[in-house]
């Protein structure tokens, strides 16, 4: 959302004028000088990878992680600038690899989790997340990891649905910060523990 706001601010003089007119009421002015990063691009491009590696005190060797990108980070790629290869991103996998875990190249990693539809079309939204859970498990993941809070909420919703049905025990779904925290020595943080 911030990347899109930044794009429209930079490319629409009328929006710039309107925003600064509103800010002027508070004695403020904005010239667009703030650089906006997604957490993954910050970790991948702005932080020395060796520093992250040196911070790993509990490598996640042997754990297979299914990255779920979150569709808003990827689209539209001309605005988000999220990955050099918007149709086949690898940024999330690079960060997972730093923890010692093995990224799973699963077929639904770029698909929507359904969260934006949850209040509008609940059955469709729930179908999206249940399909992601099923596919991640079928493709060998031990855990699902996302860098999107809305995706994480949707995975939590899906987890409750699966547990309520009694059909199986769903894979843990965690945020990237939890994955990094565990690899850096934090004892708690896995969903489902």
């Amino acid at each position: 959302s911030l990347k899109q706001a930044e794009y429209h601010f930079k490319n629409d003089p009328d929006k710039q004028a309107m925003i600064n007119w509103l800010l002027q009421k508070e004695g403020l002015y904005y010239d667009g000088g703030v650089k906006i990063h997604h957490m993954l691009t910050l970790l991948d491009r702005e932080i020395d990878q060796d520093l992250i590696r040196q911070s790993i005190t509990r490598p996640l060797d042997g754990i297979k992680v299914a990255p779920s990108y979150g569709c808003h980070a990827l689209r539209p790629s001309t605005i988000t600038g999220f990955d050099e290869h918007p149709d086949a991103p690898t940024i999330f996998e690079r960060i997972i690899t730093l923890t010692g875990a093995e990224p799973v190249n699963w077929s639904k990693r770029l698909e929507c989790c359904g969260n934006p539809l949850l209040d509008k079309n609940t059955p469709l939204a729930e179908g999206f997340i249940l399909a992601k859970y099923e596919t991640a498990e079928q493709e060998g993941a031990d855990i699902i990891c996302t860098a999107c809070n809305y995706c994480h909420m949707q995975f939590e919703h899906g987890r409750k649905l699966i547990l309520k049905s009694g059909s199986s025990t769903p894979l843990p779904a965690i945020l990237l910060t939890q994955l990094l925290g565990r690899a850096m020595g934090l004892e708690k943080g896995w969903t489902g523990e």
Side-chain angles (χ1 to χ4, degrees):
S1 296
L2 290 174
K3 280 288 211 178
Q4 289 193 26
E6 173 189 48
Y7 173 83
H8 292 295
F9 181 85
K10 285 181 179 177
N11 293 291
D12 188 333
D14 291 335
K15 282 195 175 51
Q16 284 180 24
M18 179 192 69
I19 288 166
N20 278 309
W21 177 76
L22 291 168
L23 289 172
Q24 181 183 5
K25 295 177 183 182
E26 300 294 326
L28 301 171
Y29 177 81
Y30 181 66
D31 64 3
V34 174
K35 183 140 173 90
I36 298 167
H37 293 281
H38 185 279
M39 179 174 36
L40 286 169
T41 59
L42 181 73
L43 290 168
D44 188 62
R45 297 178 192 156
E46 302 296 321
I47 297 177
D48 184 343
Q49 303 298 290
D50 287 333
L51 180 62
I52 296 173
R53 274 189 208 92
Q54 292 167 10
S55 299
I56 304 299
T57 59
R58 186 177 176 183
L60 304 177
D61 299 332
I63 297 176
K64 294 182 179 179
V65 178
S68 185
Y69 272 84
C71 52
H72 293 287
L74 298 170
R75 298 176 190 94
S77 61
T78 54
I79 293 175
T80 63
F82 183 72
D83 196 285
E84 306 83 47
H85 310 286
D87 296 332
T90 58
I91 190 170
F92 207 156
E93 288 82 355
R94 290 193 300 269
I95 301 302
I96 289 170
T97 301
L98 293 173
T99 70
E102 177 186 339
V104 175
N105 186 15
W106 62 308
S107 60
K108 295 200 178 288
R109 70 192 184 103
L110 305 180
E111 291 189 17
C112 180
C113 68
N115 183 274
L117 302 171
L118 194 56
D119 292 335
K120 297 166 191 67
N121 189 336
T122 302
L124 181 62
E126 289 176 348
F128 282 177
I129 198 62
L130 293 174
K132 285 185 81 104
Y133 264 113
E134 181 180 345
T135 304
E137 188 170 357
Q138 287 173 351
E139 296 187 23
D142 297 314
I143 195 165
I144 300 169
C145 187
T146 185
C148 170
N149 293 328
Y150 288 105
C151 290
H152 184 67
M153 289 189 298
Q154 184 71 349
F155 277 109
E156 286 296 307
H157 179 73
R159 180 178 182 73
K160 290 174 186 170
L161 291 173
I162 295 168
L163 289 171
K164 186 177 179 181
S165 74
S167 61
S168 66
T169 302
L171 296 174
I174 64 170
L175 287 162
L176 175 62
T177 50
Q178 293 172 295
L179 187 79
L180 287 168
R182 177 55 73 93
M184 291 177 181
L186 294 178
E187 292 299 319
K188 295 184 179 181
W190 297 108
T191 300
E193 283 188 348

PDB file of all heavy atoms in Angstrom, residues 9-10 14 29 31 33-34 64 79 85-86 90 98 102 107 111 114 117 127 138-141 144 158 178 180 186 190:
ATOM      1  N   PHE A   9       2.029   9.429  -5.563  1.00  0.00           N
ATOM      2  CA  PHE A   9       2.524  10.734  -5.118  1.00  0.00           C
ATOM      3  C   PHE A   9       3.557  11.271  -6.100  1.00  0.00           C
ATOM      4  O   PHE A   9       3.513  12.435  -6.491  1.00  0.00           O
ATOM      5  CB  PHE A   9       3.130  10.619  -3.718  1.00  0.00           C
ATOM      6  CG  PHE A   9       3.640  11.923  -3.181  1.00  0.00           C
ATOM      7  CD1 PHE A   9       2.782  12.799  -2.538  1.00  0.00           C
ATOM      8  CD2 PHE A   9       4.973  12.280  -3.321  1.00  0.00           C
ATOM      9  CE1 PHE A   9       3.242  14.020  -2.041  1.00  0.00           C
ATOM     10  CE2 PHE A   9       5.445  13.497  -2.831  1.00  0.00           C
ATOM     11  CZ  PHE A   9       4.574  14.368  -2.194  1.00  0.00           C
ATOM     12  N   LYS A  10       4.498  10.411  -6.498  1.00  0.00           N
ATOM     13  CA  LYS A  10       5.570  10.836  -7.400  1.00  0.00           C
ATOM     14  C   LYS A  10       5.068  11.160  -8.800  1.00  0.00           C
ATOM     15  O   LYS A  10       5.663  11.988  -9.498  1.00  0.00           O
ATOM     16  CB  LYS A  10       6.639   9.740  -7.510  1.00  0.00           C
ATOM     17  CG  LYS A  10       7.524   9.627  -6.313  1.00  0.00           C
ATOM     18  CD  LYS A  10       8.568   8.535  -6.528  1.00  0.00           C
ATOM     19  CE  LYS A  10       9.491   8.416  -5.347  1.00  0.00           C
ATOM     20  NZ  LYS A  10      10.468   7.319  -5.514  1.00  0.00           N
ATOM     21  N   ASP A  14      -1.286  16.547  -9.065  1.00  0.00           N
ATOM     22  CA  ASP A  14      -2.506  16.947  -8.359  1.00  0.00           C
ATOM     23  C   ASP A  14      -2.588  16.290  -6.984  1.00  0.00           C
ATOM     24  O   ASP A  14      -2.993  16.920  -6.003  1.00  0.00           O
ATOM     25  CB  ASP A  14      -3.753  16.597  -9.180  1.00  0.00           C
ATOM     26  CG  ASP A  14      -3.871  17.446 -10.434  1.00  0.00           C
ATOM     27  OD1 ASP A  14      -3.317  18.574 -10.463  1.00  0.00           O
ATOM     28  OD2 ASP A  14      -4.515  16.975 -11.398  1.00  0.00           O
ATOM     29  N   TYR A  29       5.087  19.402   5.496  1.00  0.00           N
ATOM     30  CA  TYR A  29       5.271  19.331   4.043  1.00  0.00           C
ATOM     31  C   TYR A  29       5.978  18.019   3.742  1.00  0.00           C
ATOM     32  O   TYR A  29       6.859  17.586   4.484  1.00  0.00           O
ATOM     33  CB  TYR A  29       6.140  20.504   3.557  1.00  0.00           C
ATOM     34  CG  TYR A  29       6.414  20.446   2.073  1.00  0.00           C
ATOM     35  CD1 TYR A  29       5.477  20.903   1.155  1.00  0.00           C
ATOM     36  CD2 TYR A  29       7.606  19.932   1.597  1.00  0.00           C
ATOM     37  CE1 TYR A  29       5.718  20.843  -0.201  1.00  0.00           C
ATOM     38  CE2 TYR A  29       7.872  19.868   0.234  1.00  0.00           C
ATOM     39  CZ  TYR A  29       6.914  20.319  -0.658  1.00  0.00           C
ATOM     40  OH  TYR A  29       7.155  20.257  -2.007  1.00  0.00           O
ATOM     41  N   ASP A  31       8.014  15.891   0.640  1.00  0.00           N
ATOM     42  CA  ASP A  31       8.589  15.981  -0.706  1.00  0.00           C
ATOM     43  C   ASP A  31       8.875  14.614  -1.325  1.00  0.00           C
ATOM     44  O   ASP A  31       9.487  14.528  -2.384  1.00  0.00           O
ATOM     45  CB  ASP A  31       9.856  16.827  -0.692  1.00  0.00           C
ATOM     46  CG  ASP A  31      10.970  16.221   0.143  1.00  0.00           C
ATOM     47  OD1 ASP A  31      10.794  15.113   0.684  1.00  0.00           O
ATOM     48  OD2 ASP A  31      12.033  16.857   0.253  1.00  0.00           O
ATOM     49  N   GLY A  33      10.707  12.120   0.090  1.00  0.00           N
ATOM     50  CA  GLY A  33      12.064  11.679   0.360  1.00  0.00           C
ATOM     51  C   GLY A  33      12.209  10.394   1.157  1.00  0.00           C
ATOM     52  O   GLY A  33      13.327   9.984   1.450  1.00  0.00           O
ATOM     53  N   VAL A  34      11.117   9.746   1.524  1.00  0.00           N
ATOM     54  CA  VAL A  34      11.183   8.522   2.318  1.00  0.00           C
ATOM     55  C   VAL A  34      11.288   7.316   1.387  1.00  0.00           C
ATOM     56  O   VAL A  34      10.522   7.184   0.436  1.00  0.00           O
ATOM     57  CB  VAL A  34       9.937   8.375   3.221  1.00  0.00           C
ATOM     58  CG1 VAL A  34       9.927   7.046   3.938  1.00  0.00           C
ATOM     59  CG2 VAL A  34       9.868   9.514   4.211  1.00  0.00           C
ATOM     60  N   LYS A  64      11.936 -28.005   6.107  1.00  0.00           N
ATOM     61  CA  LYS A  64      11.505 -27.590   4.768  1.00  0.00           C
ATOM     62  C   LYS A  64      10.407 -26.542   4.919  1.00  0.00           C
ATOM     63  O   LYS A  64       9.363 -26.805   5.499  1.00  0.00           O
ATOM     64  CB  LYS A  64      11.010 -28.788   3.977  1.00  0.00           C
ATOM     65  CG  LYS A  64      12.116 -29.782   3.689  1.00  0.00           C
ATOM     66  CD  LYS A  64      11.616 -30.937   2.872  1.00  0.00           C
ATOM     67  CE  LYS A  64      12.774 -31.891   2.587  1.00  0.00           C
ATOM     68  NZ  LYS A  64      12.338 -33.038   1.813  1.00  0.00           N
ATOM     69  N   ILE A  79       5.248  -1.303  -9.841  1.00  0.00           N
ATOM     70  CA  ILE A  79       5.196  -0.359  -8.725  1.00  0.00           C
ATOM     71  C   ILE A  79       5.948  -0.900  -7.514  1.00  0.00           C
ATOM     72  O   ILE A  79       6.727  -0.190  -6.888  1.00  0.00           O
ATOM     73  CB  ILE A  79       3.738  -0.029  -8.349  1.00  0.00           C
ATOM     74  CG1 ILE A  79       3.082   0.761  -9.493  1.00  0.00           C
ATOM     75  CG2 ILE A  79       3.669   0.747  -7.047  1.00  0.00           C
ATOM     76  CD1 ILE A  79       1.612   1.044  -9.300  1.00  0.00           C
ATOM     77  N   HIS A  85      12.710 -10.729 -10.694  1.00  0.00           N
ATOM     78  CA  HIS A  85      11.945 -11.668 -11.526  1.00  0.00           C
ATOM     79  C   HIS A  85      10.528 -11.758 -10.967  1.00  0.00           C
ATOM     80  O   HIS A  85      10.222 -12.688 -10.226  1.00  0.00           O
ATOM     81  CB  HIS A  85      12.603 -13.041 -11.522  1.00  0.00           C
ATOM     82  CG  HIS A  85      14.068 -12.991 -11.825  1.00  0.00           C
ATOM     83  ND1 HIS A  85      14.560 -12.749 -13.087  1.00  0.00           N
ATOM     84  CD2 HIS A  85      15.150 -13.114 -11.021  1.00  0.00           C
ATOM     85  CE1 HIS A  85      15.882 -12.752 -13.048  1.00  0.00           C
ATOM     86  NE2 HIS A  85      16.265 -12.956 -11.808  1.00  0.00           N
ATOM     87  N   PRO A  86       9.638 -10.795 -11.298  1.00  0.00           N
ATOM     88  CA  PRO A  86       8.326 -10.746 -10.665  1.00  0.00           C
ATOM     89  C   PRO A  86       7.459 -11.986 -10.902  1.00  0.00           C
ATOM     90  O   PRO A  86       6.621 -12.317 -10.072  1.00  0.00           O
ATOM     91  CB  PRO A  86       7.672  -9.506 -11.259  1.00  0.00           C
ATOM     92  CG  PRO A  86       8.536  -9.047 -12.362  1.00  0.00           C
ATOM     93  CD  PRO A  86       9.854  -9.709 -12.237  1.00  0.00           C
ATOM     94  N   THR A  90      12.599 -15.001  -6.145  1.00  0.00           N
ATOM     95  CA  THR A  90      13.444 -15.877  -5.328  1.00  0.00           C
ATOM     96  C   THR A  90      13.893 -15.203  -4.031  1.00  0.00           C
ATOM     97  O   THR A  90      14.628 -15.796  -3.248  1.00  0.00           O
ATOM     98  CB  THR A  90      14.705 -16.302  -6.122  1.00  0.00           C
ATOM     99  OG1 THR A  90      15.413 -15.124  -6.525  1.00  0.00           O
ATOM    100  CG2 THR A  90      14.343 -17.140  -7.330  1.00  0.00           C
ATOM    101  N   LEU A  98      19.239 -18.494   4.434  1.00  0.00           N
ATOM    102  CA  LEU A  98      20.162 -17.943   5.435  1.00  0.00           C
ATOM    103  C   LEU A  98      19.958 -18.572   6.812  1.00  0.00           C
ATOM    104  O   LEU A  98      20.886 -18.630   7.613  1.00  0.00           O
ATOM    105  CB  LEU A  98      19.995 -16.424   5.544  1.00  0.00           C
ATOM    106  CG  LEU A  98      20.403 -15.601   4.327  1.00  0.00           C
ATOM    107  CD1 LEU A  98      20.023 -14.137   4.533  1.00  0.00           C
ATOM    108  CD2 LEU A  98      21.889 -15.740   4.050  1.00  0.00           C
ATOM    109  N   GLU A 102      15.459 -25.301   4.346  1.00  0.00           N
ATOM    110  CA  GLU A 102      15.385 -25.550   2.905  1.00  0.00           C
ATOM    111  C   GLU A 102      14.057 -25.026   2.368  1.00  0.00           C
ATOM    112  O   GLU A 102      12.990 -25.487   2.785  1.00  0.00           O
ATOM    113  CB  GLU A 102      15.477 -27.049   2.636  1.00  0.00           C
ATOM    114  CG  GLU A 102      15.346 -27.422   1.177  1.00  0.00           C
ATOM    115  CD  GLU A 102      15.284 -28.923   0.961  1.00  0.00           C
ATOM    116  OE1 GLU A 102      15.728 -29.692   1.839  1.00  0.00           O
ATOM    117  OE2 GLU A 102      14.769 -29.331  -0.097  1.00  0.00           O
ATOM    118  N   SER A 107       3.799 -25.090  -5.704  1.00  0.00           N
ATOM    119  CA  SER A 107       3.036 -24.494  -6.791  1.00  0.00           C
ATOM    120  C   SER A 107       2.147 -23.323  -6.379  1.00  0.00           C
ATOM    121  O   SER A 107       1.802 -22.499  -7.210  1.00  0.00           O
ATOM    122  CB  SER A 107       2.182 -25.564  -7.472  1.00  0.00           C
ATOM    123  OG  SER A 107       1.282 -26.148  -6.546  1.00  0.00           O
ATOM    124  N   GLU A 111       0.270 -17.599  -5.043  1.00  0.00           N
ATOM    125  CA  GLU A 111      -1.177 -17.414  -5.121  1.00  0.00           C
ATOM    126  C   GLU A 111      -1.730 -16.699  -3.899  1.00  0.00           C
ATOM    127  O   GLU A 111      -1.180 -16.769  -2.802  1.00  0.00           O
ATOM    128  CB  GLU A 111      -1.866 -18.770  -5.300  1.00  0.00           C
ATOM    129  CG  GLU A 111      -1.571 -19.362  -6.661  1.00  0.00           C
ATOM    130  CD  GLU A 111      -2.403 -20.592  -6.965  1.00  0.00           C
ATOM    131  OE1 GLU A 111      -3.424 -20.821  -6.289  1.00  0.00           O
ATOM    132  OE2 GLU A 111      -2.015 -21.312  -7.894  1.00  0.00           O
ATOM    133  N   GLY A 114      -6.494 -15.517   0.043  1.00  0.00           N
ATOM    134  CA  GLY A 114      -7.930 -15.335   0.173  1.00  0.00           C
ATOM    135  C   GLY A 114      -8.350 -14.305   1.203  1.00  0.00           C
ATOM    136  O   GLY A 114      -9.535 -13.974   1.297  1.00  0.00           O
ATOM    137  N   LEU A 117     -10.814 -11.510   0.473  1.00  0.00           N
ATOM    138  CA  LEU A 117     -12.170 -11.944   0.127  1.00  0.00           C
ATOM    139  C   LEU A 117     -12.960 -12.484   1.312  1.00  0.00           C
ATOM    140  O   LEU A 117     -14.133 -12.788   1.176  1.00  0.00           O
ATOM    141  CB  LEU A 117     -12.103 -13.067  -0.928  1.00  0.00           C
ATOM    142  CG  LEU A 117     -11.401 -12.751  -2.226  1.00  0.00           C
ATOM    143  CD1 LEU A 117     -11.226 -14.010  -3.051  1.00  0.00           C
ATOM    144  CD2 LEU A 117     -12.203 -11.729  -2.995  1.00  0.00           C
ATOM    145  N   GLY A 127     -11.584 -21.632   0.611  1.00  0.00           N
ATOM    146  CA  GLY A 127     -11.062 -22.590  -0.369  1.00  0.00           C
ATOM    147  C   GLY A 127      -9.631 -22.283  -0.763  1.00  0.00           C
ATOM    148  O   GLY A 127      -8.806 -23.186  -0.915  1.00  0.00           O
ATOM    149  N   GLN A 138       1.456 -31.571   0.625  1.00  0.00           N
ATOM    150  CA  GLN A 138       1.702 -32.550  -0.434  1.00  0.00           C
ATOM    151  C   GLN A 138       3.070 -32.373  -1.068  1.00  0.00           C
ATOM    152  O   GLN A 138       3.681 -33.344  -1.516  1.00  0.00           O
ATOM    153  CB  GLN A 138       0.626 -32.435  -1.526  1.00  0.00           C
ATOM    154  CG  GLN A 138      -0.713 -32.967  -1.124  1.00  0.00           C
ATOM    155  CD  GLN A 138      -1.783 -32.685  -2.182  1.00  0.00           C
ATOM    156  OE1 GLN A 138      -1.556 -31.942  -3.143  1.00  0.00           O
ATOM    157  NE2 GLN A 138      -2.946 -33.273  -2.004  1.00  0.00           N
ATOM    158  N   GLU A 139       3.560 -31.152  -1.102  1.00  0.00           N
ATOM    159  CA  GLU A 139       4.832 -30.876  -1.765  1.00  0.00           C
ATOM    160  C   GLU A 139       6.013 -30.905  -0.797  1.00  0.00           C
ATOM    161  O   GLU A 139       7.099 -30.445  -1.120  1.00  0.00           O
ATOM    162  CB  GLU A 139       4.727 -29.577  -2.557  1.00  0.00           C
ATOM    163  CG  GLU A 139       3.684 -29.733  -3.684  1.00  0.00           C
ATOM    164  CD  GLU A 139       3.613 -28.561  -4.639  1.00  0.00           C
ATOM    165  OE1 GLU A 139       4.593 -27.806  -4.761  1.00  0.00           O
ATOM    166  OE2 GLU A 139       2.563 -28.410  -5.291  1.00  0.00           O
ATOM    167  N   GLY A 140       5.784 -31.450   0.403  1.00  0.00           N
ATOM    168  CA  GLY A 140       6.894 -31.765   1.297  1.00  0.00           C
ATOM    169  C   GLY A 140       7.280 -30.746   2.345  1.00  0.00           C
ATOM    170  O   GLY A 140       8.313 -30.895   2.999  1.00  0.00           O
ATOM    171  N   ALA A 141       6.468 -29.700   2.541  1.00  0.00           N
ATOM    172  CA  ALA A 141       6.819 -28.680   3.534  1.00  0.00           C
ATOM    173  C   ALA A 141       6.595 -29.197   4.951  1.00  0.00           C
ATOM    174  O   ALA A 141       5.687 -29.980   5.209  1.00  0.00           O
ATOM    175  CB  ALA A 141       5.992 -27.426   3.300  1.00  0.00           C
ATOM    176  N   ILE A 144       4.879 -23.548   6.894  1.00  0.00           N
ATOM    177  CA  ILE A 144       4.575 -22.494   5.924  1.00  0.00           C
ATOM    178  C   ILE A 144       5.031 -21.185   6.546  1.00  0.00           C
ATOM    179  O   ILE A 144       4.822 -20.943   7.730  1.00  0.00           O
ATOM    180  CB  ILE A 144       3.070 -22.439   5.605  1.00  0.00           C
ATOM    181  CG1 ILE A 144       2.600 -23.767   5.008  1.00  0.00           C
ATOM    182  CG2 ILE A 144       2.768 -21.280   4.654  1.00  0.00           C
ATOM    183  CD1 ILE A 144       1.092 -23.901   4.917  1.00  0.00           C
ATOM    184  N   GLY A 158      -7.478 -20.621   8.458  1.00  0.00           N
ATOM    185  CA  GLY A 158      -7.476 -21.941   7.822  1.00  0.00           C
ATOM    186  C   GLY A 158      -7.102 -23.041   8.801  1.00  0.00           C
ATOM    187  O   GLY A 158      -7.677 -24.135   8.785  1.00  0.00           O
ATOM    188  N   GLN A 178       9.239 -14.747  12.886  1.00  0.00           N
ATOM    189  CA  GLN A 178       9.294 -15.888  13.789  1.00  0.00           C
ATOM    190  C   GLN A 178      10.344 -16.895  13.333  1.00  0.00           C
ATOM    191  O   GLN A 178      11.074 -17.453  14.157  1.00  0.00           O
ATOM    192  CB  GLN A 178       7.928 -16.558  13.882  1.00  0.00           C
ATOM    193  CG  GLN A 178       6.878 -15.693  14.545  1.00  0.00           C
ATOM    194  CD  GLN A 178       5.509 -16.311  14.447  1.00  0.00           C
ATOM    195  OE1 GLN A 178       4.957 -16.459  13.368  1.00  0.00           O
ATOM    196  NE2 GLN A 178       4.953 -16.688  15.589  1.00  0.00           N
ATOM    197  N   LEU A 180      13.058 -16.238  11.537  1.00  0.00           N
ATOM    198  CA  LEU A 180      14.362 -15.643  11.821  1.00  0.00           C
ATOM    199  C   LEU A 180      14.648 -15.667  13.319  1.00  0.00           C
ATOM    200  O   LEU A 180      15.771 -15.976  13.739  1.00  0.00           O
ATOM    201  CB  LEU A 180      14.428 -14.209  11.295  1.00  0.00           C
ATOM    202  CG  LEU A 180      14.530 -14.054   9.790  1.00  0.00           C
ATOM    203  CD1 LEU A 180      14.291 -12.601   9.390  1.00  0.00           C
ATOM    204  CD2 LEU A 180      15.865 -14.545   9.270  1.00  0.00           C
ATOM    205  N   LEU A 186      15.743 -17.658  19.593  1.00  0.00           N
ATOM    206  CA  LEU A 186      14.544 -17.527  20.420  1.00  0.00           C
ATOM    207  C   LEU A 186      13.887 -18.884  20.586  1.00  0.00           C
ATOM    208  O   LEU A 186      13.787 -19.660  19.634  1.00  0.00           O
ATOM    209  CB  LEU A 186      13.559 -16.538  19.792  1.00  0.00           C
ATOM    210  CG  LEU A 186      14.025 -15.090  19.717  1.00  0.00           C
ATOM    211  CD1 LEU A 186      12.971 -14.229  19.022  1.00  0.00           C
ATOM    212  CD2 LEU A 186      14.331 -14.529  21.087  1.00  0.00           C
ATOM    213  N   TRP A 190       6.868 -20.672  17.280  1.00  0.00           N
ATOM    214  CA  TRP A 190       6.215 -21.472  16.243  1.00  0.00           C
ATOM    215  C   TRP A 190       4.731 -21.531  16.536  1.00  0.00           C
ATOM    216  O   TRP A 190       4.324 -21.806  17.646  1.00  0.00           O
ATOM    217  CB  TRP A 190       6.724 -22.912  16.227  1.00  0.00           C
ATOM    218  CG  TRP A 190       8.161 -23.076  15.913  1.00  0.00           C
ATOM    219  CD1 TRP A 190       9.122 -23.443  16.813  1.00  0.00           C
ATOM    220  CD2 TRP A 190       8.827 -22.913  14.673  1.00  0.00           C
ATOM    221  NE1 TRP A 190      10.339 -23.500  16.190  1.00  0.00           N
ATOM    222  CE2 TRP A 190      10.190 -23.194  14.873  1.00  0.00           C
ATOM    223  CE3 TRP A 190       8.407 -22.561  13.413  1.00  0.00           C
ATOM    224  CZ2 TRP A 190      11.124 -23.130  13.854  1.00  0.00           C
ATOM    225  CZ3 TRP A 190       9.340 -22.497  12.402  1.00  0.00           C
ATOM    226  CH2 TRP A 190      10.669 -22.774  12.623  1.00  0.00           C
TER     227      TRP A 190
END
